[in-house]
Amino acid sequence: MDAQGRGRADNIDPADQWVLNPNTGEYELRLNASGPQSGVPRPRRGNPAPTGSGARPGQRARTAPERDSPAPPGTDVPGPRRRRGAPAEPPPGRRRTRTKPKKSKAKKVLLWTGGSMAFVLVAVSVGGYLYIKHLNDNITSVSDDGASTGGFSKDQAINILVIGTDKRTGKGNDGYGDAGSVGHADTNILLHVSKDRSNATALSIPRDLIVDVPDCPTQQADGTDKVIPGTQGVRFNTSLGQDERTPSCTMRTVTELTGIKPDDFMVADFNAVKTLTEAVGGVDVCLAKDIKDPDSHLNLSKGTHNISGEQALAFVRTRHAVGFGGDLSRITLQQQFLSALMRKLKGNSTLSSPGKMLKLAEAGTKALTVDDKLDSIGKLKDLGLELGKLNPKNLTFTTVPVLDNPAEKVKATVVLNDAKAPAVFDAIKNDVSFTEVKEKQKAAKDAEAARLKGTKSDASEVRVRILNGGAVGGSAQKTLGWLQISEGVEKSENAGNAPAELSRTTLEYAPDQAPQARRLAAIMGLSGSALKPGKSVTNSQGLPAMTLTLGKDFKGAGVPLTAPTKAPEVDKSTADKVKCAS
């Protein structure tokens, strides 16, 4: 403390910058000149706030108006405070009016359930934009090198690749992992959030899964581009760090493996686990037996424990003391940990506390590295709002189906289970839930099925333009020949390549073209989800036509493209259930 009784700016608890507004009964972020000073630039200095009786040192008095100029006519200004228990007196010349009732606790909680970054909706009060600038400066981002879709969209399904590395950074991490590690992709989760936000699937990808890492165009530190050659038959975790590969290369490897192109990525290291759990006040995990693992430093007895910091890191790293002692056993612990973290974030104790939300924002923006499409607090807030719509009971955790590597005598790696894995990937690509969800999704599926019902035009009346949107080269021309010669769709034409690649084949049509769409869907074996009511386009003869875009799922002319309607049976857990690790 200095002679004036002020503390250092970097010792300020963010919670102390939230002040109760007597007009609304809500807390507001006040970065003022008379209170504790933020570590970020201050707003323009106004009139100093009176200290007033009842104000703590370093806190604005609650009776002081927060303005730099007189209040405009008609604006209510809080009057003097009264003694506890004394009846309130109306201001002279005014009738007593009923005060605005405070919002219920449930409604307050709803204000915060939009994701871990939603607090910025409140932070736009006096000086809030300066704090947002401070958070923006915390964010570390790297290029996606064209490996993503270009970023998530609010009106589409979302695929986020979450990567945990073994890179040792920061004070206190010299006892963990490989001292020389460049940061491999040791924990990998592809989070798929359904288009209607009714459900989500968190698909774990084992680090020891044998995959082909593709060639990776990568932006260098000096701004130049370099193609890092791919390798075949290597561990998945080498898609990051090895040969200077960046997270964008892990993205490309996921696309190569699953056929799913991520929208964005987030990368966390050892420090992220420690700081995020400390910011939320720890998470509750359950053990079915005592665990003492000298390698991860986890030492916990059987039962439920609240863990954070070093203990949380030890929990997600341990493997020798659970299951079969391998990476697949550790994955189940990590899924349990993430389920517990989500339950904590959705609980009242975190999301209804301005202080905890600010600490979480500080920790999150410092701990994570994101792609350059998520490089601002505004974009992270928008993503948080979308993720915050999820119900934990409809968030499914599962793992890519794998088998022990048959080429190894001592089992150290795994290979893809070709009999089961494709069905899992197809379900995610087609936005199929792994849990039973509410009527909202059922209604959407019923609407898709209804698009196939009704009258069908004759094939000779179907007018369509064909685009290649990710299918094998030459697919549009081959499909054109098949439709005209074999199926009688003579009013069709090849329109070249689509502006962007699509994972799924689509047929867009205007309302009056629905009978034509149903006929073409029957010919090609398209599902109702492939039909996209929209608008017609003009063909080369100047006549209205439908648009058929052949996506990456296109298997060839005459091969049906019926999407799955039910997810396959897999080992899974949901985020709302507490599962004890054994």
Side-chain angles (χ1 to χ4, degrees):
M1 302 290 286
D2 62 20
Q4 302 300 318
R6 294 188 295 267
R8 288 171 50 87
D10 55 3
N11 289 331
I12 298 301
D13 185 337
D16 289 339
Q17 296 176 310
W18 290 79
V19 179
L20 182 69
N21 185 327
N23 287 335
T24 65
E26 299 291 336
Y27 284 89
E28 295 178 354
L29 182 64
R30 305 273 175 90
L31 304 181
N32 55 295
S34 63
Q37 299 302 298
S38 168
V40 297
R42 296 178 299 189
R44 184 177 63 191
R45 186 184 302 275
N47 296 329
T51 303
S53 61
R56 298 195 309 270
Q59 181 186 25
R60 291 180 76 100
R62 296 181 180 178
T63 57
E66 294 288 337
R67 301 182 181 88
D68 290 331
S69 58
T75 302
D76 291 336
V77 179
R81 297 177 64 184
R82 59 186 177 86
R83 296 191 310 274
R84 182 176 298 175
E89 292 296 330
R94 293 183 58 184
R95 297 172 60 186
R96 186 191 304 270
T97 58
R98 180 177 297 177
T99 59
K100 183 179 179 180
K102 291 186 178 181
K103 296 180 181 178
S104 69
K105 181 178 290 186
K107 289 184 178 179
K108 286 184 179 180
V109 171
L110 287 175
L111 290 174
W112 297 97
T113 55
S116 62
M117 299 301 174
F119 74 95
V120 295
L121 295 177
V122 179
V124 293
S125 59
V126 179
Y129 70 96
L130 295 172
Y131 191 70
I132 292 174
K133 181 181 183 301
H134 164 67
L135 293 176
N136 279 331
D137 292 341
N138 284 347
I139 297 172
T140 300
S141 65
V142 295
S143 176
D144 71 354
D145 297 314
S148 76
T149 62
F152 80 94
S153 300
K154 294 182 181 180
D155 58 348
Q156 298 294 326
I158 299 174
N159 292 296
I160 305 293
L161 179 60
V162 182
I163 306 170
T165 78
D166 59 353
K167 187 173 183 178
R168 300 190 333 184
T169 58
K171 183 179 179 181
N173 287 325
D174 46 331
Y176 299 108
D178 179 4
S181 176
V182 292
H184 297 105
D186 268 15
T187 298
N188 309 278
I189 296 176
L190 180 62
L191 176 64
H192 171 82
V193 184
S194 68
K195 182 177 179 179
D196 65 3
R197 308 298 185 254
S198 68
N199 67 92
T201 303
L203 181 68
S204 292
I205 303 173
R207 69 171 193 178
D208 295 326
L209 174 63
I210 298 300
V211 297
D212 292 339
V213 177
D215 293 345
C216 298
T218 307
Q219 186 179 89
Q220 304 298 294
D222 61 1
T224 61
D225 293 326
K226 173 184 177 181
V227 177
I228 300 175
T231 52
Q232 286 71 48
V234 294
R235 279 181 166 89
F236 183 91
N237 69 345
T238 62
S239 64
L240 176 65
Q242 197 81 20
D243 301 324
E244 300 182 337
R245 291 176 178 135
T246 66
S248 68
C249 195
T250 306
M251 255 190 176
R252 295 185 194 277
T253 306
V254 168
T255 303
E256 183 89 1
L257 173 70
T258 66
I260 302 165
K261 195 170 189 177
D263 300 306
D264 296 282
F265 65 73
M266 293 182 174
V267 184
D269 60 14
F270 289 150
N271 270 329
V273 176
K274 294 193 289 187
T275 57
L276 288 174
T277 51
E278 289 169 348
V280 300
V283 298
D284 295 330
V285 297
C286 180
L287 297 178
K289 65 178 182 180
D290 297 345
I291 291 183
K292 188 172 184 179
D293 185 354
D295 293 312
S296 69
H297 312 306
L298 181 66
N299 187 2
L300 290 176
S301 60
K302 175 182 177 180
T304 301
H305 300 270
N306 182 272
I307 60 173
S308 66
E310 297 287 345
Q311 268 194 332
L313 178 57
F315 184 85
V316 298
R317 292 187 66 249
T318 195
R319 57 177 172 142
H320 298 299
V322 292
F324 295 105
D327 186 54
L328 294 179
S329 298
R330 176 162 54 188
I331 284 175
T332 62
L333 283 181
Q334 293 167 348
Q335 292 174 346
Q336 183 196 136
F337 172 81
L338 291 172
S339 295
L341 180 60
M342 183 172 181
R343 290 194 297 272
K344 188 63 175 282
L345 288 174
K346 296 287 281 188
N348 296 6
S349 62
T350 298
L351 296 175
S352 61
S353 168
K356 287 184 179 179
M357 289 300 296
L358 284 176
K359 289 178 181 177
L360 182 59
E362 287 283 351
T365 52
K366 289 178 180 178
L368 301 175
T369 296
V370 299
D371 66 87
D372 53 359
K373 305 301 185 296
L374 282 178
D375 60 356
S376 72
I377 195 65
K379 295 174 183 176
L380 287 172
K381 178 264 296 181
D382 289 341
L383 177 60
L385 288 171
E386 297 304 310
L387 299 182
K389 297 174 183 178
L390 287 173
N391 187 325
K393 72 178 183 180
N394 290 326
L395 170 56
T396 301
F397 286 92
T398 189
T399 304
V400 172
V402 295
L403 300 169
D404 286 333
N405 190 344
E408 297 174 337
K409 291 183 179 179
V410 178
K411 304 304 181 185
T413 62
V414 293
V415 296
L416 202 66
N417 186 332
D418 291 325
K420 294 183 178 180
V424 174
F425 301 153
D426 283 346
I428 293 175
K429 281 188 285 188
N430 289 284
D431 210 17
V432 178
S433 176
F434 282 75
T435 59
E436 294 294 331
V437 294
K438 53 189 179 181
E439 289 301 314
K440 180 180 178 181
Q441 190 184 46
K442 183 179 182 300
K445 296 298 182 185
D446 290 345
E448 291 175 355
R451 294 170 193 164
L452 298 173
K453 298 177 181 179
T455 59
K456 299 180 179 68
S457 301
D458 291 336
S460 60
E461 297 176 0
V462 174
R463 189 179 290 111
V464 61
R465 299 174 75 244
I466 306 169
L467 297 171
N468 190 328
V472 175
S475 293
Q477 186 60 37
K478 289 180 181 178
T479 301
L480 175 67
W482 174 72
L483 286 175
Q484 290 183 338
I485 298 170
S486 301
E487 302 299 327
V489 184
E490 298 175 355
K491 298 176 182 178
S492 51
E493 62 184 37
N494 181 356
N497 292 327
E501 291 187 352
L502 299 179
S503 60
R504 296 186 57 205
T505 297
T506 62
L507 175 61
E508 184 176 2
Y509 57 96
D512 62 346
Q513 295 172 319
Q516 294 184 48
R518 286 191 283 267
R519 172 57 64 190
L520 189 59
I523 291 172
M524 297 193 62
L526 299 177
S527 65
S529 61
L531 272 60
K532 304 295 181 185
K535 59 183 180 181
S536 65
V537 293
T538 302
N539 66 7
S540 58
Q541 282 76 46
L543 299 173
M546 302 183 295
T547 301
L548 173 65
T549 305
L550 306 178
K552 292 182 178 180
D553 63 338
F554 185 72
K555 299 178 176 64
V559 181
L561 287 172
T562 303
T565 58
K566 185 177 180 180
E569 291 296 325
V570 293
D571 292 333
K572 63 184 180 181
S573 62
T574 52
D576 63 320
K577 299 291 193 305
V578 178
K579 185 177 181 181
C580 296
S582 58

